[in-house]
Amino acid sequence: MSAAIDIRHLTKRFGALTVLDDISLQIEDGEFVVFLGPSGCGKSTLLRMIAGLEGVDEGEIALGDRRIDPLPPGERGVAMVFQSYALYPHMTVRQNMAFGLENVRTPKDEIERRTDAAAKILEIDHLLDRKPQMLSGGQRQRVAIGRAIVKEPKAFLFDEPLSNLDAALRGRTRLELAQLHQRLGATMIFVTHDQVEAMTLADRIVVMHDRRIEQIGTPMEVYQRPATKFVAGFVGSPAMSMLPVSGVTQGPSGARVTVDGVGDIDTAVPLPPGFAAKGASIGIRAEDTTPSDTGLPLTVDVIERLGDRTLLHGHLPDGSELVAQDTGRSTVTAGDTVRVAVDPHAVHLFDADGRAHHATGAD
Amino acid sequence: MAAPHRQSRLSNALFAAPYLVVFIALLVVPLIWGIYLSLQKADLFGLYGFTGWTNYARVLNDALFWQSVRNTLLFVVVTVPILVGIGLFLGLALNARTGGAAFMRGVYFSSTVLSVTIVTLIWRFVFIPGDGLLSLAFQAMGWQPIGFLSTEGWSLFSVGVATVWWCIGLPMILILAALQQIPGDLYEAAALDNASRWRTFTRVTLPQIRGTLILVATIQIVMQFQLFGQAQLMTNGGPNGTSRPMVLYIYRAAFENWDVGQGAAASELLFLIILVAAMGQYWVTSRGPRT
């Protein structure tokens, strides 16, 4: 039923503006892929091109062994769940789900069988005769998913489907989507700007930025071995702290970087040959720091207590900002200067172009 | 608690007051005055006493009145569906964000702002025998010219054509506004649902603009029952009264025959007919599935 998606050298322009530039991507049969990126990075446009709602200027899209980019949306074998759900307001839930099947002249008993089955999976069987305006946001969401399921598509496309739900419901629906994917085993593409959704749902994340794909990888690869400075800063909360580097030398276990006003930091990142310090920076995640007697002198500005841990937002003597982590029982108060040690294996080194270098085997 | 509440209701009434004063002065008072007149023997100089239902009886026994009722009903039954149909067609055709569509919207709406005098003048140029546009066209084709304004049947037809041309702007604009309110993602969902253009039109577009179509039809029913200027200026109700609408009958009775009482009685009957027609239309069209 489901199928692989092969995207080759896809380019999209709106007038003189290029919104996607030479995108290539292979999605395996049954894979759950999340397009993650900030607003305007082109992720929704890419999804809409797969759906057939936007034209393709250059390149090809294939679903299974069939090229689909010249086909109209309805003939591509994909189903989409919209951010606004886009349920037909004057039709009942049952009619909403049956509409697509009626259009391709599916026999009545088959429509009924699929509608009932989908309604059961999504626990909306008691809502089948209601109209969308009589449903809550979460229920509408389920109907929109149900409308996709009954079509038994080769691929499901989700365009930020959770962003209109409240936080609690979003968490629950996220989990249910993951279960649904396991149950159906279908190819799914999910667009979001929410990294938590991406991390929890994806088999692989496609991080997009400024018309291009920055990195394709499993959630842990993207998190622990970000390919670029953008990915490192975008994925993870709190965001990775970036410190400007003024000099790089070979240290005992890897690159030794000099941060102005702070001193030298030893890392486990192998010094890349010909690495230029100009414009370079290092990235440190809060969880890779610990309070200690030696280390970087951090003047704490704001304390964020999360219960199980405490985040210390502060600045170093050179003025650059750093977020460090302490235990939940931290006694640090704003205005204190504390020393924080950095795990040398978890430091990321970025060159002037933003390309990342990591300690070997750090994952 | 009660005092501020009452005060706020009072200020609410104050906001509504200007409209209410105009409404009462220009609609309620004339309506009651008209009913009063219809029960009097009256001419343009004054009232000559209560006559009960005499005026109504005279109107209802007048063959010319029934002829004007038939003419008006035929006119409404034909023009209103055409106005809604063409309005819908133009709305669909011009529902685009292009300069050309905006220009054409302006062109189609422009006839609405003309006065009835100008409209009839334009259409007289088209229909008039001898030098009229259609007459010349018929001659060029070697056909026998038709006296559009002076032939039974054709005269009411000609008034209808001019009326549709004059009135098409409002239905078009109202329907366009409704079409533009339909969320674009419904159409995207329909495209992904493999809906044909016809299915999309009947299952997505029409249900979404149903309320506006009912509104447009109601407005047009009320307006077209009041047909007057075009008929008076183009055909003067002729020939033999075959294009004389009810309002022209009322005008003749009250202002040419000076029988204000009879004119008022006919006016009240027209009011009743419009009320029944508009309510009936609303009842019929709003019985279906609600959105």
Side-chain angles (χ1 to χ4, degrees), chain A residues 109-120:
Chain A
D109 50 342
E110 174 70 6
I111 293 179
E112 200 157 316
R113 190 188 62 75
R114 289 203 211 171
T115 311
D116 290 342
K120 197 157 284 171

Side-chain angles (χ1 to χ4, degrees), chain A residues 42 49 66 82 99 166 171 206 215 277 304 315 321 339 347:
Chain A
M49 285 166 85
R66 195 165 64 127
F82 292 84
F99 187 59
D166 63 53
V206 177
Q215 185 173 9
E304 240 184 322
H315 60 272
E321 291 174 4
R339 292 220 167 241
V347 172

